[in-house]
Amino acid sequence: MIYSASLPGQSPAPTLVDTMHRPIGSLRLSVTDRCNLRCRYCMPEADYLWLPRDSILTFEEAERLVRVFTSLGVTKVRLTGGEPLLRHDLPELVRLLAGNPAIGDLALTTNGLLLARHAEALRNAGLDRITVSLDTLHADRMLEFAGSARHADVLEGLAAVSAAGFRGLKLNCVVIRGYNDDELVDLIEFGRDHDAEVRFIEYMDVGGATQWSMDQVVSQREILSRLDARYGAITPVVEPGAPSAPAERFAFQDGSTFGIIASTTAPFCRSCDRSRLTADGTWFLCLYAAQGIDLREPLRSGASDEELAAIIRKHWAARTDRGAEERMLAPHRAALYQLGGLRADPHREMHTRGG
Ligand code: SAM
């Protein structure tokens, strides 16, 4: 199925869509598989099988691949990881990507530990938006759950984001029963105080979440009912341009908003326009996909932009993935992988695919 967009100098073609007419709209670019946290729901082990150093794309290689993706219709790019700020000189990659006029939204997801140091340089390099993962307001809980005593650094990072002039700050919060599900209201209030929109994420059974079980998932329905009990009626926000997408954002009566990413109990595969490129150039068409497509090999063997575009076009046009919906139908749902399965292929890890 074909498509829009074009390589520089060519006239626009129609938009690239998959077998379910989903456009290729948004790319998550993981810049490293390393992380400086050990969140229990993502990367609980001390050590991992890391991607070989020489397999990691250079900034120039990543920028070129992104350019090919934008020639096919991608307009949103989010830098992620691992922890993207562990990648040396990340603002330089931002600067390269910001020079691509086809990217309408260039964003970063980070755990915030190193943000205070880098926020201003990221802004000056042309980054549009930042999302910070903040699961708890309690330093002792972060220590217990993510193995880090640096909660204060995250708060300092948040202050640096607004000082640097970023707007549209989002706070990602994975809600886990018995860990932080008593903080829903506190997190909403914290978001209001910091001019940030909170997005509650249902705990997902993705690679890396080896301790996942359904009873720890706090569903969208439960989150809404708890917030409703505190704040009164909550209404879904209809997103302009995406009327058929399931509501991800909600509004309180005072007009302030929050989000819920309900990939576990109410997946949105039908409108999913996202794909993921790992730090070593493996392209995943779904967070749950068993396998990715190696773009590094053709890139390094001298493929032209048009040849790279042809590979991407072929795979996206044949895309049938709806991994989260299929997981929902799995009988006796449990963690997707155990440690041995993850060690067999590091690409199965969430921190490699990029959240
Ligand atoms: N290190 C960065 C960060 O902390 O935001 C970016 C990478 S992290 C893998 C991206 C997002 O994935 C984070 O918001 C994290 O909370 C989320 N995540 C990781 N494992 C998850 C899981 N099992 N269920 C739901 N969200 C998860």
Side-chain angles (χ1 to χ4, degrees):
M1 316 223 86
I2 319 279
Y3 328 44
S4 138
S6 54
L7 293 167
Q10 295 180 340
S11 52
T15 298
L16 174 58
V17 295
D18 71 6
T19 59
M20 293 166 68
H21 300 282
R22 297 172 296 189
I24 186 167
S26 144
L27 183 71
R28 313 243 153 170
L29 176 63
S30 173
V31 294
T32 177
D33 55 337
R34 310 263 169 167
C35 193
N36 44 7
L37 289 184
R38 286 294 178 273
C39 300
R40 242 190 253 176
Y41 54 77
C42 183
M43 218 178 155
E45 308 300 318
D47 207 12
Y48 284 87
L49 199 57
W50 306 109
L51 296 175
R53 208 166 272 272
D54 61 359
S55 74
I56 304 293
L57 300 182
T58 64
F59 287 167
E60 288 70 24
E61 288 173 327
E63 188 275 332
R64 181 168 164 221
L65 281 181
V66 169
R67 206 160 8 93
V68 177
F69 276 101
T70 57
S71 78
L72 293 167
V74 164
T75 57
K76 293 178 171 183
V77 176
R78 178 171 291 276
L79 302 174
T80 181
E83 171 46 42
L85 289 176
L86 286 180
R87 181 78 186 252
H88 180 66
D89 210 10
L90 190 71
E92 177 55 19
L93 176 62
V94 170
R95 196 185 60 73
L96 289 175
L97 295 173
N100 179 339
I103 301 177
D105 185 29
L106 181 58
L108 168 78
T109 299
T110 170
N111 62 30
L113 291 188
L114 299 170
L115 249 186
R117 212 180 296 168
H118 297 295
E120 199 179 339
L122 290 165
R123 184 74 186 146
N124 292 339
L127 187 71
D128 296 320
R129 293 189 305 115
I130 296 189
T131 298
V132 177
S133 296
L134 179 72
D135 298 328
T136 179
L137 299 174
H138 300 283
D140 56 336
R141 288 186 177 181
M142 181 172 169
L143 180 59
E144 187 208 331
F145 216 77
S148 170
R150 299 177 58 189
H151 195 268
D153 290 354
V154 183
L155 301 186
E156 225 185 284
L158 292 175
V161 169
S162 61
F166 284 102
R167 295 284 165 268
L169 174 65
K170 290 188 176 150
L171 299 175
N172 270 0
C173 170
V174 181
V175 185
I176 299 188
R177 195 178 307 286
Y179 163 52
N180 61 352
D181 61 319
D182 58 346
E183 293 188 57
L184 301 184
V185 168
D186 292 346
L187 282 158
I188 289 286
E189 293 301 322
F190 181 89
R192 287 176 166 180
D193 291 347
H194 290 79
D195 200 17
E197 185 174 278
V198 174
R199 296 169 2 138
F200 295 114
I201 306 178
E202 289 182 351
Y203 185 12
M204 294 169 67
D205 53 346
V206 282
T210 49
Q211 302 169 11
W212 187 92
S213 61
M214 194 67 201
D215 58 310
Q216 297 172 79
V217 176
V218 181
S219 69
Q220 164 165 290
R221 181 191 292 247
E222 185 174 342
I223 292 170
L224 286 174
S225 103
R226 290 205 207 174
L227 292 175
D228 183 287
R230 167 69 172 75
Y231 292 105
I234 290 168
T235 47
V237 175
V238 178
E239 306 285 353
S244 62
E248 267 193 22
R249 294 176 71 233
F250 299 87
F252 296 114
Q253 281 161 359
D254 68 359
S256 63
T257 55
F258 67 100
I260 302 182
I261 300 176
S263 308
T264 304
T265 69
F268 40 89
C269 300
R270 260 154 240 279
S271 59
C272 177
D273 68 351
R274 297 173 192 174
S275 64
R276 296 175 152 80
L277 188 63
T278 63
D280 69 348
T282 311
W283 181 44
F284 285 90
L285 278 62
C286 174
L287 189 51
Y288 287 96
Q291 265 162 0
I293 294 129
D294 182 3
L295 297 179
R296 183 184 77 252
E297 197 281 323
L299 176 80
R300 289 192 176 165
S301 335
S304 66
D305 286 358
E306 190 38 65
E307 285 164 339
L308 291 167
I311 298 171
I312 294 167
R313 205 182 278 128
K314 179 182 98 183
H315 286 283
W316 191 268
R319 178 181 186 243
T320 55
D321 303 71
R322 40 186 204 90
E325 286 177 358
E326 282 164 3
R327 287 298 296 162
M328 217 168 65
L329 301 173
H332 317 298
R333 192 171 180 179
L336 185 60
Y337 294 111
Q338 292 308 319
L339 200 54
L342 287 175
R343 294 225 154 114
D345 181 358
H347 291 103
R348 291 175 174 166
E349 294 281 1
M350 176 77 152
H351 66 263
T352 305
R353 287 186 183 196

